[in-house]
Each structure stands twice: as C-alpha cells, then as structure tokens.
Amino acid sequence: MSSPERAGRGTVRSRRSAIDVAVIGTADPASRALLRALVSAAARGATTAKPGGEVGEARIGAVLAIDTEPPAIGGVQFRYADPGDPALVEALAGVHAAAYVAVSTDLGRDLATGARTRRERSLRVAQTVITAAAAAGVRHLVVVTSAQTFGAHADNPVPLEDDAALRASSDEGQVGDLMDVEQLIAVARDVHPGLTITAVRPAALVGDGVDTVLTRHFEAPRLLTLRGAEPAWQFCHVDDLGSAVAVVVAQGIAGAVSVGAEGHLTQRDLERLTGMRRVELSMAAAMGTADRLHRVGVLPAPASDLAFVAFPWAVSARTLLGRGWVPVHDNETCVGVLLDAIRGSHAVAARRLDRKDAALGAASAAVALVGTAAIMRRRRRKGSTA
C-alpha cells in the first residue's frame, strides 16, 4: 500500500500534468465548439485512457480563448490578441497546447472580403499562429483544415485513411487556401522541431451558423448530379469536431487525423433524406458552365469544387476511433442539422444573387440552377408546339 507521502506526491504529479489549452480565434462555430468540448473535458477532470488499457497522465486544465472579442462560453479564460498579429506570442505565455481552426465556416464574410484578401489573411494568420506558438514554448499545436485537402477523385478508396496523399487542386478556391496551410504545417515541422503539430481534417462541417460552399449546395432548387459520378457523402458536426480535438490534445496525438460521422451516404440516400429532386448534367457541361460563371464573377467557387459533390472524399477516422473517440451525430442526423440551418435561405431562381455578400455559394448550386432553367426551357418549347 502506498504511504500518504507517496499518495501526496502522486496528486502533485497529476496536477502538474494538467494541460492548459488555448483556442486561437473564437468567432466561428467550429472554434466555439472546440471551446465547449475542452471546457467539458476539463470539468470531467479524468485522465484519458490510452490503447491497451494504459491510463494517460494528461488532463485538460485551464481553457483559454484568444481573440479580439470574448466568446459567450462559461468556464473559459479570455486573453486579448489578434490571431494575425505577432503580439499573439504574449497571449500564449504559459500555454501547453493550442488549437486553431483554419477552415472557414463563414462564406458570406469570405465573399465580401474577396478571394485575394481572403487567401492573404488565411496564410498570414496560419503563419503567425505557428510562429507564435513555437516562440511561446507551446508544446502541441492542433490546426483544423479539412478532409477536402485529400481531393475528390473517382479513384479514391472509400473511406480514405488518415495517411492518404493530399491531392486537392491548389487553385484560387478555399480548398487551395487549405492546401497552402497544410504546406505551412509540413515546413513548420522541420523548422520548429520542438513544436508538435497535428492536422485535423474534418468531413463536410454542419452545425448552427456553419455557412460553406457545401452547405449552400443544398440551397439549390435541385441536387446536382454529374453523369457517371458516384459521390460518397459524409458529414461532421462541429460538436463532434470539438470532442475529437479534445481527444487529440489530451492524448497528445501527433501527425494527422481525420474526423467524420461513421460511414457515408449515397446520392440516393441524400435525395431521400432531403426530399430534393436531382438534375443530371454531363461532366463537360457542368464544368464548362461553372468555369464560365466563375470567370465572370457569378460564382465564388472555381469549377474544380464541383468534384466535391461528384466524387468520394469520405474518411475513416480510424486513428481517433481507436483512441476512444465516438461521434455523437451520424450522417443522417447531420443532414437534418444542415437542413434546419439553411431553412429560410432561398436560393430558388437565384434569389440570393441579389445580395452582394451571399451570392450562390457553390459552383454546383449555380450549375443546378442552369440545368433547371434548361429543363424549363425545353418544357416551354414542347408546350408551344403542342
């Protein structure tokens, strides 16, 4: 039996092993989900079980939010700093681990900002976060990008494993932004060997306030399908992303991990769940139309983004599942959350094109509109000759 003295020293070691974690940038739904999950993990106060039954010593201690405005989340300590300002290093003093969400969930803001400014800001903040974390002595940095960086390809295995090659197009779209962030991470691992960096790559995000190219795909009058393509739809609720990041931090998981609901949905599943009818176009027609609309400024997303509604990019989340992480939301539930979130947003007949900051958010949505218009024109022509 351990003596009281030994027990006391064990308690001290446990307190010292608590990890103080900061979330850098907290205005978006995903970052707020991270904060909630970390606060919940800290409140539980238990150590995390590792594979093989070994109990890890790391616990979540203080949870800090670093931004220019405090989040309305209880149990969080606030430190003021602009995530893109080098002074961020001061706000990270004493922090053991930090998390930063690089993937955007505010398409309206991004459209108002403009593609060039958006990319410059994305890279500047990511570089500042990495450099400041290393300079402040942070031991572990978690950067949330997206499973879209794997690319959507007809020959992708379903599901993709965590170590699959990143094959997305490095174009001017938002996925191209994340490919640049992933490159920064790869370089930083060599430049800052004392800083462990983990890339977390979620499937299509859903949740209250999430507004992305993919969520706006469902605001089109019909679901676009490309002839001969077989998509595999997978989603990730922001709360499940938050709990996944908490596991990554508590267990010190390095490298790269994917996050998503288990399994995937087929196009037929999606049509059943949404109640939406499809419009089918050839790949050539869809890509050509999307490219023309993007070049004249109607579409904010490049034609290459059509691949993400046509071809599979579902992930396995094998590493996290093996570490005890369990997603609460399945794909069907995520679709329901998505539909609730976009209710009241009308992209029918291009209504949203009237708003400067909310032009149709996906090449696929606009092409669906074009396809629907073509169908209606054919029907009118048949009616006039009847």
Side-chain angles (χ1 to χ4, degrees), residues 117-332:
T117 302
R118 182 202 72 225
R119 173 154 296 185
E120 290 175 351
R121 167 81 179 168
S122 172
L123 293 178
R124 176 165 52 85
V125 173
Q127 183 65 71
T128 301
V129 167
I130 293 170
T131 304
V138 174
R139 297 197 295 264
H140 189 185
L141 175 63
V142 179
V143 180
V144 178
T145 60
S146 171
Q148 286 182 286
T149 55
F150 290 120
H153 302 280
D155 63 350
N156 274 348
V158 179
L160 289 156
E161 297 297 337
D162 291 342
D163 59 356
L166 304 185
R167 298 198 292 156
S169 298
S170 295
D171 53 24
E172 75 274 21
Q174 291 181 326
V175 180
D177 296 355
L178 294 176
M179 290 294 283
D180 285 351
V181 171
E182 290 274 4
Q183 181 61 33
L184 285 176
I185 292 171
V187 172
R189 289 187 175 120
D190 292 330
V191 175
H192 306 293
L195 175 64
T196 297
I197 306 179
T198 307
V200 174
R201 301 166 181 153
L205 288 170
V206 301
D208 187 28
V210 173
D211 180 21
T212 68
V213 164
L214 288 168
T215 62
R216 291 198 187 183
H217 173 67
F218 296 88
E219 296 178 29
R222 298 190 186 186
L223 285 175
L224 173 70
T225 61
L226 300 185
R227 200 166 297 132
E230 296 183 9
W233 287 92
Q234 184 188 37
F235 301 91
C236 179
H237 195 284
V238 290
D239 289 344
D240 288 327
L241 172 62
S243 65
V245 170
V247 169
V248 169
V249 170
Q251 298 194 22
I253 301 172
V257 297
S258 304
V259 189
E262 292 193 67
H264 67 276
L265 302 173
T266 65
Q267 185 71 21
R268 190 176 296 278
D269 291 332
L270 205 62
E271 291 168 13
R272 172 179 56 82
L273 291 168
T274 63
M276 296 174 69
R277 297 175 63 189
R278 69 166 62 189
V279 56
E280 185 176 278
L281 299 176
S282 70
M283 181 67 73
M287 294 293 288
T289 301
D291 183 61
R292 288 192 297 274
L293 292 176
H294 180 63
R295 280 191 280 110
V296 299
V298 173
L299 295 181
S304 59
D305 275 19
L306 277 174
F308 294 104
V309 301
F311 301 116
W313 51 288
V315 295
S316 73
R318 189 183 306 276
T319 298
L320 284 169
L321 292 170
R323 293 296 191 108
W325 172 77
V326 178
V328 173
H329 305 82
D330 61 19
N331 282 305
E332 292 197 5

Side-chain angles (χ1 to χ4, degrees), residues 15 111 292:
R15 284 199 298 269
L111 296 180
R292 288 192 297 274

